[in-house]
Every structure is written in structure tokens, then in C-alpha cells.
Amino acid sequence: ETGVTQSPTHLIKTRGQQVTLRCSSQSGHNTVSWYQQALGQGPQFIFQYYREEENGRGNFPPRFSGLQFPNYSSELNVNALELDDSALYLCASSLAVTKKETQYFGPGTRLLVL
Amino acid sequence: SQQGEEDPQALSIQEGENATMNCSYKTSINNLQWYRQNSGRGLVHLILIRSNEREKHSGRLRVTLDTSKKSSSLLITASRAADTASYFCATDPTGANSKLTFGKGITLSVRP
């Protein structure tokens, strides 16, 4: 519906492992934001990328890192997984960081850390 | 931290009734947005109201914003069973980044 896709849809990892989640933004959207949503909570801002550079970060440790590519795709990497990292991870793309435009969310990747 | 606080936490109404959901926030904002989420999946943008606007309509949705009280309300008129979902308000705080700050959400259940 929004033109934003995420993969995989579900993922199971064990504590200490590393994970890479992927997002494909709407064509032409140069800004992507990542959010973590724990069960029963609202999404929490992880970080934002604008033109392939990090453009703001929420209260998440450095083991959460990201990349944005010129083809409107992006990645969220999490190292040294902890049990509390179990959540729904959402990416959202928008047209321009300066215009405060509506963000379009993907369907999310549900990560379970055992 | 979550800036938006929605009220009530849960709402159950009969199909055809109106649903009113409230949101309060703490800091100055550029805009406030309402989103819907079905069954823990992706968020769907419903409506955006800018800080210099007081009321906005979109179909069966009506949103108001009172920046002096730092509060907003979302009204869904003539509700349908398909409106059953979680609803979140999200604020775009003034500042350097275009992040959204979400509340914990309201669970709306519309009984057929």
C-alpha cells in the first residue's frame, strides 16, 4: 500500500548473534527512518538517514547501526543481540527531511531473540 | 521517551457510533500526525495537522489541535468494524531532526 517494503517479515535469532534487516523505500524518497516497536508500545525512533548519512539518532546504543544506499534501499544492523531487542522493526521513508513530510511505513520485520 | 500520551488506552464502541481519541504532548511541535496499525503490522498514515492549523477533516476523520493545551483529538464518525485497530498520535517536535515521537496507542474495538 505505501510502496515501502521490508524483509524478512519474521526472524528468529539467539542472544549474541547479529542481524541485518532490509528496507526498500518509495522511489524518490531520500530519507529513511527506523523505529523499534516493543509489544504493546508505540514505535521508538532509532535513527534517520538522509542522502546516505545519519541524520539523527534516538536513545539506542552503538550496536544499532544503519546504511542507506543510492537505490532507495537501507539496512538496520544490530550486533550482540539481547533478549530485549525482540520487537517489530519498522522503516519509514519520506520525501525530504526538511519538509517534515508524511512518513510512509513498511509492514515491519518481527524479530524474536531467544 | 514517548511524548504523546493517548487517552483512553482502550475504547469499545458499537458500529455506527462515533469514536473520540485524545492525545497530549509535552514539547512544541511542527505537526501532529495520527496513524492506524492493524494487528501489529505497519503503520498507516491517517492525517497530519500542522501547528498553525486548528482543525482538519479527511473523510470520516476529524482532527483538532490545541497548541496552547498541547493536545489533539481524533474523531471517527459512523464507525465500522473495519476501523478496529490501534491508533497512535505522533508528534514532529521542533528541532533538528524529522523524527516522530509516538504515544503508546489506543486500542479501538468496533463491535458489529
Side-chain angles (χ1 to χ4, degrees):
Chain A
E1 293 181 4
T2 64
V4 179
T5 59
Q6 290 185 245
S7 63
T9 55
H10 296 82
L11 199 55
I12 300 175
K13 291 285 189 177
T14 55
R15 196 169 46 183
Q17 285 189 312
Q18 179 267 342
V19 69
T20 297
L21 309 182
R22 294 179 172 83
C23 172
S24 179
S25 302
Q26 277 198 22
S27 180
H29 282 193
N30 57 18
T31 304
V32 64
S33 302
W34 285 89
Y35 294 83
Q36 180 196 66
Q37 185 179 20
L39 200 61
Q41 301 293 313
Q44 295 283 300
F45 175 75
I46 303 174
F47 45 55
Q48 181 183 79
Y49 277 78
Y50 172 61
R51 292 183 174 176
E52 302 165 46
E53 298 285 334
E54 187 177 291
N55 184 56
R57 189 177 187 92
N59 190 26
F60 282 82
R63 60 189 184 84
F64 284 77
S65 63
L67 286 171
Q68 186 186 26
F69 304 103
N71 66 350
Y72 310 117
S73 67
S74 60
E75 291 180 355
L76 165 66
N77 298 288
V78 187
N79 294 323
L81 283 167
E82 300 177 359
L83 298 180
D84 285 348
D85 296 333
S86 295
L88 180 69
Y89 288 85
L90 298 160
C91 73
S93 74
S94 54
L95 182 58
V97 68
T98 56
K99 286 188 174 182
K100 313 294 186 184
E101 293 285 343
T102 302
Q103 297 191 16
Y104 296 89
F105 282 81
T109 293
R110 188 164 295 282
L111 173 65
L112 177 61
V113 182
L114 301 176
Chain B
S1 64
Q2 297 187 293
Q3 161 157 250
E5 294 287 339
E6 293 97 341
D7 169 61
Q9 290 187 336
L11 183 61
S12 181
I13 59 174
Q14 200 74 33
E15 202 166 30
E17 292 180 338
N18 296 341
T20 299
M21 292 169 268
N22 302 301
C23 169
S24 60
Y25 57 93
K26 297 174 185 173
T27 66
S28 60
I29 61 173
N30 294 305
N31 62 66
L32 184 145
Q33 304 175 35
W34 285 90
Y35 286 83
R36 185 186 74 224
Q37 184 177 43
N38 291 85
S39 302
R41 298 302 290 170
L43 293 152
V44 175
H45 180 261
L46 295 176
I47 196 164
L48 179 152
I49 186 165
R50 302 190 189 281
S51 59
N52 61 352
E53 297 175 313
R54 292 297 167 258
E55 186 172 315
K56 206 164 182 181
H57 297 256
S58 177
R60 293 184 297 115
L61 306 179
R62 171 179 169 258
V63 66
T64 62
L65 179 65
D66 187 333
T67 53
S68 66
K69 295 181 179 178
K70 290 187 169 56
S71 67
S72 173
S73 68
L74 173 68
L75 169 68
I76 304 176
T77 60
S79 63
R80 306 166 182 169
D83 294 329
T84 295
S86 293
Y87 291 80
F88 295 89
C89 72
T91 54
D92 178 7
T94 54
N97 301 321
S98 187
K99 71 175 185 179
L100 292 178
T101 306
F102 287 83
K104 292 185 178 181
I106 298 170
T107 302
L108 173 65
S109 175
V110 181
R111 303 185 303 275

